[in-house]
Amino acid sequence: CWFVWMDKGLTNECVQRMLQLWPLPSNLPARTAADFCLGFARLNKNAAREEHWEAACRAEALYRRLGDTDALSQALLLVAVIGALRDSMSEAERALREAEELITDTVPLSRQAWLAGTQGECYLRHGSPGLAIAVFRWQAELCRRAGEVTGGNMALGNLGCAQLDAGDLDAAIESLRKAVDGLRKFTGPGYGLELRLSTLAVALAWRGDDVDILPLAREAFDQLHLLGV
């Protein structure tokens, strides 16, 4: 259900509705609670809100108890990425190491790409943009092999952010423009377009361009507002 809301660009409304149910009652079946927590944690995960962090951690605990290693790997990736964004690096690294053991080259390419994206986020938090660039390129390649257009564009956006962090402005702007153009065609708010728009505006301003910056910044603001960020 939550995925349908996000797909229609209604992520913030979905988050608000799920917040009305949070914290969950203690008598819910473990599977129901775990699936709710996983979905809730994925929505606006880049905002790293306390509720999303709690949901990710609870999803991990519940799937571990259920013995569902496939869903556990997803929960671990959420703990890793939200933990990195919150600077809870010890928790993020612990979750990432376990996820790396569960997500092998035999799992679907989309899951491998998600792992690569999470690894890149942790590299950036560690101040290693070169390693992040390499792993985000691999994420984009995995998405290409899987035929995932949206995932590929999101990976390009990740690559642009890492290139910007490394100080390679021209490459960052090229990657971010491609990501923004692709995400505009196929997605709405909630798929990372807003973050790529804002980062592209910053990169253009840093380079000294005087074209497109304000319209991009306004578009990014409007989308972030829709998401409640």
Side-chain angles (χ1 to χ4, degrees):
C1 179
W2 62 268
F3 185 83
V4 175
W5 288 77
M6 189 175 77
D7 195 48
K8 298 300 182 183
L10 299 170
T11 298
N12 186 44
E13 183 174 348
C14 187
V15 168
Q16 295 308 313
R17 288 177 180 270
M18 295 180 89
L19 274 171
Q20 293 174 14
L21 302 173
W22 188 263
L24 296 177
S26 59
N27 60 348
L28 280 180
R31 172 67 62 179
T32 301
D35 291 348
F36 181 97
C37 288
L38 187 71
F40 186 36
R42 287 192 68 169
L43 292 167
N44 278 7
K45 63 182 183 297
N46 289 327
R49 293 175 176 174
E50 184 68 25
E51 296 89 348
H52 295 296
W53 171 246
E54 292 173 357
C57 292
R58 187 170 179 195
E60 178 194 345
L62 288 168
Y63 285 128
R64 194 182 300 282
R65 191 169 73 191
L66 289 165
D68 186 340
T69 56
D70 181 67
L72 174 60
S73 70
Q74 298 179 56
L76 286 166
L77 289 175
L78 290 171
V79 170
V81 72
I82 297 173
L85 292 170
R86 291 166 56 91
D87 287 324
S88 300
M89 291 309 299
S90 60
E91 275 297 298
E93 290 170 357
R94 189 249 343 141
L96 180 58
R97 296 289 85 81
E98 187 176 354
E100 287 171 341
E101 293 177 0
L102 295 174
I103 301 172
T104 66
D105 57 7
T106 62
V107 306
L109 292 174
S110 58
R111 189 71 53 78
Q112 295 180 51
W114 187 4
L115 172 62
T118 306
Q119 291 169 325
E121 291 284 354
C122 288
Y123 283 138
L124 283 179
R125 289 288 161 172
H126 273 300
S128 303
L131 293 174
I133 287 170
V135 80
F136 285 142
R137 289 189 190 280
W138 177 236
Q139 181 190 19
E141 172 61 17
L142 287 168
C143 290
R144 185 193 66 78
R145 294 182 188 180
E148 292 198 354
V149 176
T150 297
N153 287 318
M154 292 172 69
L156 269 179
N158 292 339
L159 174 61
C161 292
Q163 290 167 328
L164 182 62
D165 206 50
D168 192 346
L169 276 176
D170 292 339
I173 289 169
E174 181 181 358
S175 296
L176 288 164
R177 278 199 186 280
K178 288 179 180 177
V180 165
D181 290 345
L183 289 169
R184 275 178 172 153
K185 289 179 184 177
F186 298 106
T187 65
Y191 282 91
L193 173 59
E194 62 289 339
L195 298 176
R196 278 68 181 181
L197 284 166
S198 59
T199 307
L200 177 57
V202 168
L204 289 168
W206 190 1
R207 193 170 68 177
D209 292 23
D210 57 1
V211 178
D212 293 338
I213 296 173
L214 285 178
L216 284 169
R218 289 193 183 101
E219 186 179 355
F221 175 85
D222 289 343
Q223 294 215 18
L224 288 165
H225 181 69
L226 281 174
L227 295 174
V229 178

